[in-house]
Amino acid sequence: GENVEQHPSTLSVQEGDSAVIKCTYSDSASNYFPWYKQELGKGPQLIIDIRSNVGEKKDQRIAVTLNKTAKHFSLHITETQPEDSAVYFCAASKGGQLTFGSGTQLTVLP
Amino acid sequence: NAGVTQTPKFQVLKTGQSMTLQCAQDMNHEYMSWYRQDPGMGLRLIHYSVGAGITDQGEVPNGYNVSRSTTEDFPLRLLSAAPSQTSVYFCASSYSYRVGSYEQYFGPGTRLTVT
């Protein structure tokens, strides 16, 4: 089955700096790659996603890049703010079922 | 819309007890699923359903049962609780499994402790 690895497990950045979280996947048939943000005590919430026919997607301060050849994808957050502090999960899917990475605890220091 | 709702929010069970975690969605979503979240392991799929009357196993199904008698509800049953089932459980739903609209909406979670 699919295996998704996510790095780093924790990340601290100064407010205003950029944050990058990286994931690799094993199944070349995977075609959908969402990123979820989970705040303390809440369920994960989709923040951005990308499909395999696209190399990059942006939404304001958030961007995701996909390299199908290398089977890795990354989340980029620019101009980080304290409210960006949360756990971020990547996931991969080839048909509805999601396989999640282990999560990254992002802390934005004021 | 209330989205995806889960009850209870917290539950403590003794080893061997059974219970049902409730999940409901009011978005007429076809696909529903249950995950468990353990520290350092992300979310792992327990069971899922692609429509009323249809369920299937995920990555970690042992010790859990599900049924889907209506589009709205997807309860998760623990048959005989074990300490290894201490976890946070999330229910999620998606408009469709088939047509490529894969965004899943998650409920707020149920924190279960088995002593």
Side-chain angles (χ1 to χ4, degrees):
Chain A
E2 175 67 278
N3 182 50
V4 178
E5 295 191 357
Q6 182 172 346
H7 300 281
S9 56
T10 61
L11 179 61
S12 293
V13 299
Q14 290 295 135
E15 182 177 356
D17 287 349
S18 296
V20 180
I21 303 170
K22 298 182 178 182
C23 289
T24 61
Y25 61 98
S26 61
D27 192 339
S28 57
S30 289
N31 57 10
Y32 175 67
F33 307 92
W35 286 88
Y36 286 85
K37 176 183 181 182
Q38 186 178 26
E39 296 175 338
L40 195 62
K42 296 184 178 180
Q45 185 172 17
L46 180 73
I47 56 171
I48 196 167
D49 57 13
I50 192 168
R51 287 179 167 78
S52 59
N53 58 347
V54 175
E56 183 176 5
K57 184 177 179 180
K58 288 183 180 180
D59 183 3
Q60 299 182 352
R61 296 186 296 109
I62 294 173
V64 58
T65 59
L66 171 65
N67 183 326
K68 287 192 298 182
T69 302
K71 289 190 283 189
H72 66 71
F73 56 113
S74 300
L75 177 71
H76 304 253
I77 305 174
T78 59
E79 301 173 14
T80 53
Q81 300 167 4
E83 52 265 38
D84 294 329
S85 294
V87 178
Y88 292 80
F89 291 98
C90 64
S93 170
K94 61 180 178 180
Q97 292 185 50
L98 292 174
T99 300
F100 285 84
S102 54
T104 296
Q105 173 69 62
L106 174 64
T107 302
V108 179
L109 305 170
Chain B
N1 287 352
V4 180
T5 58
Q6 292 183 237
T7 56
K9 291 187 185 298
F10 302 94
Q11 183 70 48
V12 179
L13 290 178
K14 295 187 186 301
T15 297
Q17 288 184 318
S18 63
M19 79 158 295
T20 300
L21 280 64
Q22 301 293 343
C23 173
Q25 52 89 10
D26 61 357
M27 298 174 282
N28 199 31
H29 281 176
E30 192 173 83
Y31 181 79
M32 296 186 73
S33 54
W34 277 101
Y35 295 87
R36 60 177 289 172
Q37 183 176 31
D38 302 294
M41 300 186 73
L43 293 99
R44 292 181 292 168
L45 183 65
I46 304 171
H47 286 285
Y48 65 95
S49 168
V50 300
I54 306 170
T55 64
D56 206 346
Q57 297 181 351
E59 180 186 354
V60 288
N62 292 341
Y64 307 95
N65 272 358
V66 292
S67 60
R68 183 105 178 262
S69 57
T70 66
T71 299
E72 295 78 20
D73 300 298
F74 190 43
L76 178 72
R77 282 182 289 277
L78 279 70
L79 309 173
S80 177
S84 60
Q85 293 179 305
T86 294
S87 188
V88 182
Y89 291 84
F90 289 100
C91 179
S93 73
S94 177
Y95 176 71
S96 174
Y97 177 89
R98 291 191 301 270
V99 298
S101 179
Y102 302 129
E103 178 176 354
Q104 291 198 39
Y105 296 83
F106 284 81
T110 295
R111 184 174 294 275
L112 175 68
T113 302
V114 182
T115 62

